[in-house]
Amino acid sequence: MSPRSLPLPDADQALRHAAERAFYRAAGAPLVGGNAVDLLIDGQAHFDAWLAAIRSARRRILLENYIFRDDAVGRAFLEALTERAAAGVEVRVLRDWLGCFGESSLRFWKPLVAAGGEVRTYNRPGLPGSGNWLSRDHRKSLVVDATVGFVSGVCVSAKWLGRPERGVPPWRDTGVALRGPVLGELTRAFAAMWAATGSPLAEAEPAEPIESAGSVDVRLIATRPSTTGVYRLDQLVAALAQRSLWLADAYFIGVAPYVQALAAAARDGVDVRLLVPGSSDVGMVASLSRAGYRPLLEAGVRVFEWNGSMMHAKTAVADGRWARVGSSNLNIASWLGNCEIDVAIEDAGFAERMERQYEADLCGATEIVLTPRRRVRRAAPSARRHARGGRGSSSRATASAMRFVNTVGAAFSRHRVLGPAEAGVALVATFSLLAFAALAIVRPHYVAWPLAGAALWMATAMLMRHGRHWWRRATPAGRAADAAGPADEDPTAR
């Protein structure tokens, strides 16, 4: 194997073919050549590029995003989309119910609908049996006229621009602009999600073959619940990386198989790095993320925390040859539960740009380190009594001083000692289980009724699903609907 590249461009032909098939089977996506790929960094660059593409649309706009927020950015998109719809352009917008809950309502979209556009909502609450109600459409994609497309981690919200008037810097995020034949895959991915929410697109395929726009090979990985395409690909890349594997993730929660894969790569001499937020918009996830640092650090994985307002990028770059950018986080929700979209790019030039950006990001991050274990000397009884009596302001002052020393040291060295985050998470879990056990003993009906309700809900869902299948097989109307391939056969359909 070549020590510098994925998928082994200088290796034996048979080995190259085996690697190609492995990537295809893991991702569930073909390698599409002849594309041009541009790197987009942070919200402002994304919004400028997206709005410029929308305003230039002549035939069709397909926009899918997890969050549309009713703010200055959201209204700018609404205005651009409405203007194009009024001009006769086909405008289709797909939003997620939970992602937009409290951010914008369907009333927000009335001007677009009145102008001829169509807006659909993925996975709104429904009756039992209506599908996997935990699944989310977490994708962020845009296709315009089959000439340009975008895949990203950025949502349509001014939060990504920060609050300059309050000194809050923009969120750090990454996406790509795509041109070339891969836009056909991007259009088909949107069409599949659109069909899962109602009637299909009139033209799910590009009207004509899309001409080559460059020389970059791209895989478009459009996952659905339980398909695990990105998870299998991430595991494969961790196994094949020879020189380096640099990861950035917004909501990393290290599940054991993936942590073991990263640890094994690091022990085998691969330069494995993980960049995560230092301060997160979801505090619980940040705590769970920190609880998983220790096994990575002990294996030689280098962990960095971003010092800005929020690190929201979901990227990977391996061996200076392979890169991934998109909406998938390194956690179970993205790998197993959500609809996600990512691009895997096999091109040395693009991977080099990703590496340069990653190195620039590390200049704004603090590395997390472990110190050697210190021996603990048993204190004399009088000393122990003094320690117990020292709780309160003096111990808080000592803790504050230690935090101050760590902060000052991190400012100069860009290193911070790993604190007892894992112990804190374990303590919260312990008290939660104790509270649940106590409630079950003292007030068993408080536990029994919710469990009974959940069982009744699942039984009703299974009965309704069975009824739909029976209707399809036993009635002429059902057989006709089944032959037409309706959306609700898909477990994610609404």
Side-chain angles (χ1 to χ4, degrees):
M1 293 186 179
S2 166
R4 288 188 58 81
S5 60
L6 289 171
L8 315 171
D10 302 321
D12 176 78
Q13 277 298 117
L15 191 56
R16 288 182 62 194
H17 179 72
E20 165 67 22
R21 298 305 299 173
F23 272 86
Y24 171 71
R25 292 173 184 176
L31 188 65
V32 180
N35 305 286
V37 182
D38 293 322
L39 190 61
L40 297 175
I41 300 299
D42 296 338
Q44 191 64 63
H46 281 79
F47 299 148
D48 291 345
W50 290 356
L51 286 170
I54 289 171
R55 289 165 179 155
S56 68
R58 294 293 176 266
R59 193 177 67 86
R60 169 186 274 184
I61 299 169
L62 307 176
L63 176 58
E64 182 176 6
N65 209 290
Y66 180 61
I67 296 174
F68 291 92
R69 194 178 190 191
D70 186 358
D71 58 19
V73 169
R75 289 188 290 272
F77 273 80
L78 176 63
E79 180 182 350
L81 293 167
T82 302
E83 188 277 328
R84 287 290 80 199
V89 175
E90 176 189 354
V91 178
R92 301 289 180 262
V93 175
L94 186 57
R95 63 196 283 272
D96 183 80
W97 178 83
L98 184 62
C100 292
F101 182 77
E103 304 286 349
S104 63
S105 66
L106 285 176
R107 289 192 299 273
F108 171 78
W109 298 100
K110 281 187 175 181
L112 175 59
V113 174
E118 186 174 358
V119 180
R120 292 186 184 176
T121 302
Y122 178 82
N123 215 355
R124 67 182 68 189
L127 294 173
S130 60
N132 180 8
W133 58 278
L134 291 177
S135 169
R136 310 303 347 147
D137 182 0
H138 194 246
R139 298 179 182 183
K140 294 95 175 177
S141 72
L142 169 65
V143 190
V144 176
D145 288 346
T147 58
V148 64
F150 302 88
V151 171
S152 178
V154 174
C155 294
V156 181
S157 168
K159 287 195 299 184
W160 268 253
L161 301 179
R163 299 287 297 274
E165 71 280 5
R166 297 187 179 181
V168 179
W171 286 19
R172 172 69 188 84
D173 218 328
T174 301
V176 291
L178 304 165
R179 292 174 177 81
V182 73
L183 294 182
E185 297 293 320
L186 191 55
T187 301
R188 283 185 281 273
F190 180 92
M193 289 298 296
W194 190 257
T197 57
S199 58
L201 287 175
E203 297 178 14
E205 298 285 337
E208 299 177 357
I210 301 175
E211 297 182 357
S212 174
S215 59
V216 179
D217 296 332
V218 178
R219 295 182 197 275
L220 185 85
I221 311 165
T223 58
R224 305 284 280 272
S226 303
T227 56
T228 68
V230 172
Y231 176 70
R232 295 196 305 271
L233 186 69
D234 287 339
Q235 286 276 19
L236 181 62
V237 170
L240 289 179
Q242 300 289 306
R243 176 175 62 88
S244 63
L245 175 57
W246 296 353
L247 307 163
D249 197 70
Y251 307 107
F252 171 77
I253 299 178
V255 297
Y258 190 62
V259 169
Q260 291 165 6
L262 296 180
R267 292 192 182 102
D268 198 32
V270 179
D271 177 12
V272 182
R273 306 182 189 185
L274 174 64
L275 175 62
V276 294
S279 59
S280 176
D281 62 326
V282 184
M284 178 57 71
V285 173
S287 298
L288 292 172
S289 181
R290 291 190 177 100
Y293 288 172
R294 186 170 294 278
L296 295 172
L297 294 170
E298 290 174 345
V301 176
R302 298 180 67 186
V303 179
F304 300 83
E305 287 188 348
W306 176 251
N307 294 328
S309 58
M310 177 61 187
M311 163 60 69
H312 198 260
K314 307 97 164 47
T315 66
V317 57
D319 287 350
R321 173 71 186 180
W322 181 94
R324 176 175 68 79
V325 179
S327 67
S328 295
N329 291 296
L330 301 176
N331 60 42
I332 287 293
S334 280
W335 281 329
L336 294 178
N338 294 339
C339 303
E340 306 278 3
I341 194 157
D342 297 77
V343 288
I345 300 161
E346 299 180 10
D347 179 79
F350 183 82
E352 183 181 357
R353 279 182 281 164
M354 290 283 291
E355 285 187 334
R356 289 199 302 267
Q357 181 61 50
Y358 197 92
E359 289 171 338
D361 289 337
L362 292 188
C363 293
T366 298
E367 185 168 9
I368 309 302
V369 298
L370 287 173
T371 59
R373 289 186 177 180
R374 299 178 180 178
R375 287 188 176 183
V376 179
R377 182 172 60 86
R378 184 180 295 274
S382 59
R384 290 201 299 273
R385 284 196 299 271
H386 177 74
R388 285 196 298 270
R391 293 183 182 181
S393 61
S394 61
S395 59
R396 286 196 297 271
T398 301
S400 298
M402 290 301 296
R403 284 194 296 270
F404 176 79
V405 169
N406 281 337
T407 301
V408 172
F412 284 96
S413 67
R414 297 190 183 276
H415 291 71
R416 181 169 67 76
V417 176
L418 177 66
E422 55 269 53
V425 173
L427 191 62
V428 171
T430 299
F431 280 116
S432 299
L433 289 173
L434 288 173
F436 181 81
L439 183 66
I441 294 171
V442 177
R443 294 286 189 271
H445 58 282
Y446 287 175
V447 175
W449 280 110
L451 291 177
L456 182 61
W457 178 278
M458 289 187 287
T460 304
M462 294 174 66
L463 184 62
M464 292 181 67
R465 185 172 293 275
H466 174 77
R468 284 201 302 271
H469 284 291
W470 175 86
W471 177 77
R472 290 183 181 280
R473 290 175 173 83
T475 65
R479 288 192 292 270
D482 192 51
D488 62 3
E489 280 295 298
D490 190 286
T492 66
R494 298 292 167 271

